[in-house]
Each structure stands twice: as C-alpha cells, then as structure tokens.
Amino acid sequence: MRGGGLLVAGTTSDAGKSVVTAGICRWLVRKGLKVAPFKGQNMSLNSFVTREGAEIGRAQAMQAQAARVEPSALMNPVLLKPGSDRSSQVVLMGKPVGELSARGYHGGRQKELFEPVLACLEELRSTYDAVICEGAGSPAEINLRRTDIVNMGIARAAELPVVVVGDIDRGGVFAQFFGTTALLAPEDQRLIAGYLVNKFRGDVTLLEPGLDMLLGLTGRRTFGVLPYAHGLGIDEEDGLRVSLRGAVRESAVAPPVGEDVLRVAVCAIPLMSNFTDVDALAAEPGVVVRFVDRAEELVDADLVVVPGTRGTVKALAWLRERGLADALVRRAAEGRPVLGICGGFQALSEHIEDEVESKAGSVPGLGLLPVRVRFAVEKTLARPVGEALGERVEGYEIHHGVAEVLGGEAFLDGCRVGAVWGTHWHGSLESDGFRRAFLREVASAAGRRFVPAPDTSFGALREEQLDRLGDLIEEHADTDALLRLIEQGPPADLPFVPPGAP
C-alpha cells in the first residue's frame, strides 16, 4: 500500500519550509500516523550521521525526530556540501561520491540522480502512512526547472500536492505567492494546492482581505496563517546564508543559577559547518553565545569556540588575516578556555597535511595542541560513544582529516592542554552531564562564579520545541484540509494562472 504525501515548497530560501515540514510531521505523529520526512536534494553545511553511518542534512534529522522515527539516508538521498561559491561535495545515500561545480551538477549529474531520489521517496511511501517532503529554494527557479529533482520535478513524478510557504515578515508575500504560481507550467500548476503564510505578526483579520483576493486571482486557498514564534532554536539548514554580524544563539529564559554568566564567542570561520553544536550551550541558563569575526570580540569571552568547517586551511588563513589566530594563541598562553570542534580542532593542531580538501599540501596549524593532521580521501562518518570528565558522551564524526595525537591529556578522540580542548566529535555538548562538567571546568579557568543548572535537559528542550511546531500547525492551519491533501492528492479543479513558464 502506498502512503500519502505532501510537498512543502517555499517562495524563497528560508521561508520556513524546514520548520513547517517538522511541524506537520509532529502534528501527524500525534494523530497516530506513521510519518517520515523527505528532501530529495539538500544543500547544507549542517549535517548529521545516521546510525548506519550515512551523512544527511541536519534539518532532515531534526524532522525525523519530529516524526519520532530514526533518521535514514532515504530521507535525504542527495546532500550538497559547498566548498566554495562554485563547487560542492556531492553526498549520495550518505556517502561522498565526488566534488562538482554548479555547472557540472546542473549540466548533467543532477538528472542522473533523479531515479535514485524518486526510488527513495517511493520506498518511504511504501513503509509510512505519510511522507512530508520539503522543497529547496523556490519551485519557480525557471532556469533550473529542466534538471529539478527536489521541487516540481519530484512532485510531478510522484503526483504530490504542493503547499507553498511564504515568509510574511519579509514583506511582499502576496506577490511571491502569485508570482511563484504564475511562473510554473500548467502541468506543475495543477499540483499547487494553495499557500501557507509564515511568521505573521498582528491581527489576522487585517490579512483576510488579501487572502480573499489571492484566492480570486489564483483559485487557490490559504491553508493557514502561522504566527511569528520566538525562541524556536530549531536546526538551521545552511551556514552560508546566516548573517553572522551580531548574530546570537537564543539562550534559555531562565536566570543563571550562580552569580555570574558565561560569555561564549564562536569564531565565524569560512564554510562554517555544524554550528548547531553550540545550541546546547545556549540552552543553559546563564550562558550567552554570540558569533564573532574580530579579535577584539574575544577579549571579554570566557570561552572561545572554533567550530567545524568544510575548509580547514581556508579557515586558518581567515583566522590569521583577522588577527584572531594571535588572539587565540594569547588566550592559550594565559590559560583562558578555547574549544576546537572538528575543523576547529584541526586548526588548533601543530601541522596539517592536506592534499584532499584544499590541496594546499603542508600547512602550519596554530600550534595550541600537540596534534598532526593528515587529510584522507575517505571521509570518516561515525557515531562514537565514550567518556570524558567522568561523564558519558555521545557524538558524531564527519571529517576527512585524521588526527595523530602526540601528547596532552586525553579528551574524547582529541586532547586537552591546559584550558585548550580539541575533538572531532560533533554533538558532544548535547550530553547533559558532560556539558555541565565541561562548563564547570570553563568557569573555573575563566574565574567566573558560574554554576550550571542541575536539571537542564537538551533533549527535553528539543522535544518541547518540536511540540511547539506541532502546536503551530494544529492551532493555526486547516488541518482537516491538509489531511485531505495528504491522503487524496491535489484538487482536480485548480485553474491555470497565466502566463505560465516562459
């Protein structure tokens, strides 16, 4: 039996497709349905490793958690990991298969991936009651329609109804809804069932005349108006799109337990990946997390994090150019805390040999940890479990660099020297006991009277956030109409909106 399906598209990137998809998944699973998320092709530097050792987009892992199912490579068969403005590593079914330019990918390789992507969707639909698919960017990217495998290409092949999400907080949402529909070919338009307004502030009755006019212009209804929701903190998809100047990870509302707060500065290095690692720190009462790109911003930080990156050598050059490298060396000499994660850990090493990622050959690291790094062709993808600071730790590894630890005190797979720590393990700070022990070490080294809250559960906070997304759908969308779409497909009488595709 084939399960139902729905494609959540967007008028733009960052319109809210990921969170709406997660919200629909959580709403459906609370109704007792067996549901799975799906995104045929994802471009993101925030990724995750499944239990079978496959790399997928972190947003799809979050959506799987919303659906209360184990993440799988079937849910994100193609992942593109940018290495520059013009090229990306292509990950197929969780494993890297090569590096391609944008022209090379859209010029032929993308079409080759269509059948495997469709096969993954059909396998999920044969197993689950419903599969909620997420699109990418906008379905009206008319220059890319011929090779599309994630928006209307997959919707047409699988006969999926499509709901288009628009971010009204940015303005122009009515023009976006109309223009998105009117730029599609008739064969695609017949699948566009209607719209979903996201991030609305104010009195919804003031919006209703516009929604009525939109219905008159397109023959398509609006399935809901979702209010602006603060503090969701859900995993973001693409680090390249985040505006880092002044950006702060949202912190818990609860006041600090101790007398002091802890200030965490995250170096906003190029091609930053898995910056979601610091979300667990921001979830702690009394911990303030901000992204920085200037040396003077490290002065008042109690902890500096050098996060993961898809370009370790490029990140090192950036740190040196901006004076951040010298500031990190001074911090280490003064015994002030620094944490390097994955690519950031590699940057803290003594020496890097890279003929794979940057092909730069021999490059000196910052020399803060007794480690030598050699880049291997094969990527390490793992879900390690271990112990540090007397606490159990779980994490995941995604890296080409192989670290040879030559000294220091053991710390997960890396080491510690004084107040400088380094590890390849992403997600380790989500282990509550370990995070609290680590923050106590940081507070002691920083001379702060900070006390970690004894009962903060990052997993429970994440579940609360996912339930809030489910609540948004249940309370502010026409769930009966959405369920009919999922079970029965697009309405048969949707009109054509001219002019259609050029």
Side-chain angles (χ1 to χ4, degrees):
M1 182 177 174
R2 191 188 199 208
L6 176 72
L7 176 70
V8 178
T11 57
T12 62
S13 295
D14 245 8
K17 298 183 295 291
S18 294
V19 294
V20 168
T21 300
I24 293 174
C25 285
R26 178 51 60 101
W27 158 62
L28 287 173
V29 78
R30 292 195 310 208
K31 283 183 64 66
L33 275 70
K34 188 180 178 186
V35 60
F38 177 80
K39 185 162 186 172
Q41 171 203 293
N42 193 352
M43 177 175 280
S44 180
L45 287 171
N46 284 333
S47 57
F48 182 77
V49 179
T50 68
R51 294 206 181 277
E52 67 265 28
E55 184 180 9
I56 65 172
R58 181 137 180 131
Q60 278 62 66
M62 175 268 292
Q63 291 160 357
Q65 186 176 349
R68 296 179 180 147
V69 295
E70 190 65 35
S72 160
L74 292 170
M75 298 171 184
N76 179 207
V78 179
L79 173 64
L80 305 179
K81 302 195 72 176
S84 70
D85 289 341
R86 296 186 173 219
S87 68
S88 294
Q89 183 181 68
V90 181
V91 179
L92 176 62
M93 293 304 294
K95 305 295 181 184
V97 294
E99 198 92 13
L100 278 180
S101 67
R103 181 178 293 274
Y105 183 70
H106 290 287
R109 185 63 192 272
Q110 190 176 31
K111 290 179 71 174
E112 296 174 15
L113 298 173
F114 183 74
E115 290 304 323
V117 166
L118 186 59
C120 288
L121 174 57
E122 291 305 314
E123 185 171 344
L124 289 173
R125 293 185 76 180
S126 70
T127 308
Y128 291 87
D129 299 324
V131 178
I132 308 304
C133 308
E134 180 188 344
S138 163
E141 308 287 0
I142 54 179
N143 56 316
L144 302 177
R145 177 61 184 89
R146 181 177 57 87
T147 55
D148 171 45
I149 65 172
V150 65
N151 289 308
M152 301 314 298
I154 199 76
R156 196 192 296 186
E159 284 292 307
L160 292 172
V162 179
V163 172
V164 181
V165 178
D167 180 355
I168 197 169
D169 198 49
R170 295 180 173 187
V173 75
F174 292 115
Q176 293 169 19
F177 284 145
F178 181 85
T180 297
T181 308
L183 278 176
L184 298 176
E187 296 83 359
D188 290 341
Q189 283 197 26
R190 70 180 178 82
L191 301 172
I192 303 292
Y195 314 109
L196 196 61
V197 176
N198 192 29
K199 296 185 182 178
F200 180 72
R201 306 173 193 249
D203 185 349
V204 73
T205 61
L206 298 177
L207 191 65
E208 288 170 353
L211 301 179
D212 292 339
M213 285 186 272
L214 184 66
L215 174 62
L217 288 165
T218 67
R220 289 159 175 84
R221 57 166 300 180
T222 298
F223 288 93
V225 178
L226 308 183
Y228 195 103
H230 293 277
L232 287 175
I234 294 297
D235 298 358
E236 294 172 74
E237 190 165 89
D238 191 348
L240 291 178
R241 282 203 309 270
V242 175
S243 175
L244 293 166
R245 165 52 51 201
V248 178
R249 301 307 278 173
E250 295 192 52
S251 300
V253 176
V257 175
E259 297 180 45
D260 289 342
V261 300
L262 275 187
R263 295 170 176 84
V264 179
V266 184
C267 295
I269 56 181
L271 299 173
M272 183 170 57
S273 62
N274 286 65
F275 59 84
T276 49
D277 282 332
V278 300
D279 285 352
L281 295 178
E284 283 285 347
V287 176
V288 180
V289 178
R290 69 182 188 271
F291 292 95
V292 303
D293 57 8
R294 296 183 299 201
E296 57 267 30
E297 294 176 296
L298 304 190
V299 174
D300 67 343
D302 300 307
L303 168 67
V304 175
V305 178
V306 188
T309 173
R310 253 278 282 156
T312 300
V313 170
K314 182 181 286 189
L316 264 172
W318 183 87
L319 289 168
R320 288 180 167 123
E321 288 166 6
R322 290 180 168 263
L324 287 158
D326 290 339
L328 288 168
V329 171
R330 286 194 299 271
R331 285 186 68 88
E334 294 165 1
R336 302 180 66 201
V338 176
L339 170 64
I341 302 175
C342 200
F345 167 41
Q346 296 165 8
L348 302 183
S349 70
E350 295 174 349
H351 183 81
I352 295 170
E353 198 68 36
D354 181 12
E355 299 291 350
V356 176
E357 190 175 75
S358 68
K359 299 180 173 59
S362 183
V363 178
L366 296 184
L368 303 187
L369 291 174
V371 174
R372 298 178 71 85
V373 176
R374 175 184 56 81
F375 275 72
V377 173
E378 186 173 347
K379 181 184 282 191
T380 297
L381 297 169
R383 288 278 293 270
V385 177
E387 185 176 300
L389 306 180
E391 300 286 346
R392 186 177 186 274
V393 189
E394 295 184 32
Y396 57 100
E397 295 183 62
I398 307 169
H399 54 93
H400 284 279
V402 178
E404 181 186 5
V405 179
L406 303 172
E409 180 184 341
F411 178 71
L412 301 175
D413 69 318
C415 64
R416 170 189 182 178
V417 173
V420 180
W421 295 265
T423 176
H424 275 126
W425 290 22
H426 294 291
S428 62
L429 294 167
E430 295 179 20
S431 298
D432 298 326
F434 167 71
R435 182 180 63 255
R436 287 191 277 270
F438 177 71
L439 289 175
R440 282 192 289 269
E441 293 268 343
V442 168
S444 175
R448 294 288 185 189
R449 289 169 296 182
F450 169 85
V451 178
D455 55 356
T456 301
S457 167
F458 185 75
L461 288 172
R462 174 52 50 89
E463 277 296 303
E464 289 175 12
Q465 291 167 333
L466 294 172
D467 273 331
R468 287 181 63 197
L469 292 181
D471 293 342
L472 283 174
I473 298 298
E474 194 166 339
E475 296 170 9
H476 300 283
D478 186 338
T479 52
D480 289 340
L482 285 176
L483 194 57
R484 281 195 300 272
L485 277 183
I486 292 167
E487 293 176 343
Q488 300 173 17
D493 56 349
L494 295 170
F496 172 70
V497 180

